[in-house]
Amino acid sequence: MLRILVVMVLLAVFIAGAALGYFNATPVDFNYLFGIAQVRVVVLIVATFVVAALLTLLLCAGRILSLSGEARRLRRQLRDAETELKNLRNLPLTPPTSR
């Protein structure tokens, strides 16, 4: 059921994007830092989305890498604690000796 819903949403987004591209085929002036270019609106929207996605990935990469390193460290710590617990469970129980 969820898969059908996801496919339908993706299809609706695709159709909306195609309609946007079809109805906005006229070029517009795009003023950027170094000059002016005539670009179709759809190309401008897609390029803006791609640049924003790349900048977001770049900004989040440091945090993602630090969290994956911390997860690796915690897994190693858990493995060591489990090994120590297993070793403690395997120790023989001896009664205290009296002198």
Side-chain angles (χ1 to χ4, degrees):
M1 184 68 177
L2 181 65
R3 183 175 286 182
I4 294 171
L5 182 64
V6 169
V7 169
M8 290 181 66
V9 168
L10 287 176
L11 187 61
V13 168
F14 178 74
I15 290 172
L20 181 72
Y22 179 75
F23 291 117
N24 291 308
T26 59
V28 295
D29 288 335
F30 174 59
N31 297 317
Y32 58 98
L33 194 59
F34 301 110
I36 299 173
Q38 284 202 343
V39 183
R40 288 180 32 189
V41 173
V42 174
V43 173
L44 194 59
I45 291 172
V46 170
T48 303
F49 178 76
V50 169
V51 168
L54 291 176
L55 286 176
T56 302
L57 284 174
L58 184 66
L59 291 173
C60 293
R63 181 71 176 149
I64 291 170
L65 290 175
S66 69
L67 287 175
S68 66
E70 184 179 354
R72 203 172 22 254
R73 180 185 60 80
L74 289 173
R75 278 192 206 101
R76 189 178 325 117
Q77 187 178 0
L78 176 64
R79 188 183 62 234
D80 293 344
E82 287 174 343
T83 303
E84 182 179 359
L85 182 62
K86 182 180 175 185
N87 290 338
L88 287 172
R89 285 181 179 162
N90 290 334
L91 285 177
L93 293 177
T94 57
T97 58
S98 58
R99 293 184 185 195

